[in-house]
Amino acid sequence: MMSAPLFALFALMTAVAALAVLWPLSRSRVLKGEREADLAVYRDQLAEIDRDRDGGRLPPEQAEAARTEVARRMLAADAARVADAGSKKGGDSRRRAAAVMALVIVPLFGAGLYLYLGTPDLPGAPLAERLAAPADRGDVAILVRKVEDHLAQNPNDGAGFEVLAPIYLRLGRFDDAARAYAQAIRLQGPTALRYSALGEVLVMAANGIVTADALKAFQDAAKLDPTEPRASYFLGLAAEQDGRDADAAAIWSAMVAGAPADAPYLPLLKVALARVEGKDKVGAAAQAGAGPAPGPSAADVANAANMSTGDRNVMIRGMVQKLQDRLTAEPGDLDGWLRLARAYKVLGDTDKAKSALASARTAFAGKTDALARIDAAEKDLGLGG
């Protein structure tokens, strides 16, 4: 049975459709009224002419000419009125046919089509009843809503957040997934897998950029399990995005060497490794005969691991200064300015990091894309204000 509100809605829609069809057909009545009004005006004009002639205000010749013109117009209007009356019968028939079509045939056709194609016996499914019913595994939205309602009443259920996080991820709700993973870590305890999953969600939310929060999550994962492949891959990606291709190559080379032959991530690793090794070859060819590159080499990175903390900091600051000097001489390297700002931020020199971004803005003034990247880096590094 069709519900009363639904029936009323369909009836209203039908009435509106019928009105849209029948409204133009009422034009003949409007025309008839206009013709009667014209005849009345002409009669008044004849009477006025007679009064002006009898009162001496209008010469007889002009009065006669005016009466002739008004009489001609009256004859034309009367002929049109007679023609309308003659066609009235046929017009009424057409209007009645159109009214029957609009008010009867169209609704009956629509109802028949609904009975043939629709399911009028299908019971209603309000959201409250769907939530109360047993979960249908095909209805992801209802499953998510059930888990969300459960977590609202049981906010300390870490397992529920861990179940919900990957579902949010598949639905493209990256911010919700990140919050769910963070809650799972807080309630279930930190693990390398949870930290790396959180970092991956943050990267996806940033359109593939390894942000500072994502980098910290991967670093925390690597501290708990240095062999966790997802964390290692993204640490290499972070190095590549910072312009440290040698570090990225070292990380990914070690992963390839230690990965099982059937590891599903091996193809991705090999593509990434070939990419950074290709950059190194191009960079070496471009700087042939121009002296050593301002950034660290693979040997520099290996030697830094065996240094004391103080010596390592001296070496890092020396490389950063080399990068600063090169950019001062050749300010057209946007990636270099962004690396320099990040390096100063890591070293704790916030003022120098801001100064590097300011110099980049000066070098790329008027270039919208470059300025957008600088603004994004400033936000990512927390240097705004």
Side-chain angles (χ1 to χ4, degrees):
M1 294 294 291
M2 186 181 296
S3 65
L6 185 60
F7 179 83
L9 177 61
F10 284 164
L12 178 60
M13 293 172 62
T14 302
V16 171
L19 181 62
V21 173
L22 298 177
W23 181 264
L25 299 179
S26 65
R27 179 61 181 166
S28 62
R29 297 182 180 179
V30 175
L31 291 175
K32 179 181 177 182
E34 290 176 354
R35 301 195 200 289
E36 294 290 350
D38 289 342
L39 288 172
V41 170
Y42 295 146
R43 293 189 191 98
D44 290 341
Q45 287 179 351
L46 288 175
E48 183 67 24
I49 292 171
D50 290 341
R51 285 194 297 270
D52 288 344
R53 182 196 59 192
D54 296 340
R57 291 183 296 275
L58 189 65
E61 296 80 5
Q62 294 183 6
E64 187 61 27
R67 283 182 59 83
T68 301
E69 177 61 23
V70 172
R72 185 188 66 77
R73 294 181 183 178
M74 286 185 67
L75 290 174
D78 189 61
R81 182 176 62 83
V82 173
D84 289 342
S87 62
K88 180 177 184 297
K89 183 176 180 180
D92 288 344
S93 299
R94 288 192 296 271
R95 283 193 292 274
R96 282 194 294 269
V100 171
M101 177 72 70
L103 295 174
V104 178
I105 296 179
V106 171
L108 288 177
F109 175 77
L113 187 64
Y114 173 68
L115 290 173
Y116 179 71
L117 298 178
T119 52
D121 56 341
L122 185 68
L127 179 59
E129 294 182 7
R130 292 166 63 196
L131 291 174
D136 179 3
R137 293 185 178 275
D139 195 338
V140 177
I142 294 300
L143 288 173
V144 170
R145 180 63 180 271
K146 284 179 175 289
V147 177
E148 289 174 339
D149 289 345
H150 168 77
L151 292 175
Q153 298 176 3
N154 302 275
N156 293 323
D157 183 2
F161 285 106
E162 195 159 28
V163 169
L164 190 57
I167 298 176
Y168 279 146
L169 178 61
R170 286 195 294 271
L171 293 176
R173 298 170 58 177
F174 301 129
D175 292 339
D176 291 334
R179 284 190 289 269
Y181 275 125
Q183 291 284 30
I185 292 172
R186 180 179 67 84
L187 297 170
Q188 298 283 91
T191 66
L193 289 176
R194 289 174 185 142
Y195 271 126
S196 63
L198 172 61
E200 184 178 24
V201 169
L202 294 172
V203 170
M204 295 176 72
N207 296 317
I209 302 299
V210 183
T211 63
D213 291 338
L215 179 61
K216 183 179 184 306
F218 294 130
Q219 290 171 339
D220 290 340
K223 290 177 184 177
L224 295 172
D225 182 3
T227 63
E228 210 291 302
R230 180 164 45 182
S232 298
Y233 169 76
F234 280 106
L235 287 172
L237 183 61
E240 181 190 11
Q241 291 178 355
D242 284 345
R244 297 180 287 110
D245 293 336
D247 290 358
I251 293 172
W252 288 336
S253 296
M255 289 185 67
V256 171
D262 58 348
Y265 53 83
L266 262 181
L268 176 65
L269 269 180
K270 291 179 179 179
V271 170
L273 183 58
R275 183 175 65 245
V276 294
E277 288 178 341
K279 289 181 183 178
D280 286 343
K281 292 177 182 178
V282 172
Q287 296 188 16
S297 65
D300 292 332
V301 175
N303 292 333
N306 298 321
M307 292 181 178
S308 65
T309 301
D311 291 341
R312 188 183 300 114
N313 287 339
V314 171
M315 185 195 75
I316 292 173
R317 288 186 178 276
M319 290 188 294
V320 171
Q321 186 59 48
K322 288 181 181 179
L323 178 60
Q324 172 77 70
D325 294 341
R326 180 176 70 82
L327 291 172
T328 301
E330 303 173 2
D333 181 4
L334 176 59
D335 290 331
W337 285 115
L338 298 182
R339 289 199 303 272
L340 181 63
R342 184 178 293 275
Y344 278 134
K345 175 67 174 179
V346 171
L347 293 173
D349 292 336
T350 302
D351 291 339
K352 289 185 177 181
K354 291 181 178 180
S355 177
L357 293 180
S359 298
R361 283 196 178 89
T362 301
F364 291 90
K367 297 182 178 180
T368 305
D369 293 341
L371 293 175
R373 288 186 61 190
I374 295 170
D375 290 340
E378 182 180 53
K379 182 178 179 182
D380 183 40
L381 294 174
L383 298 176

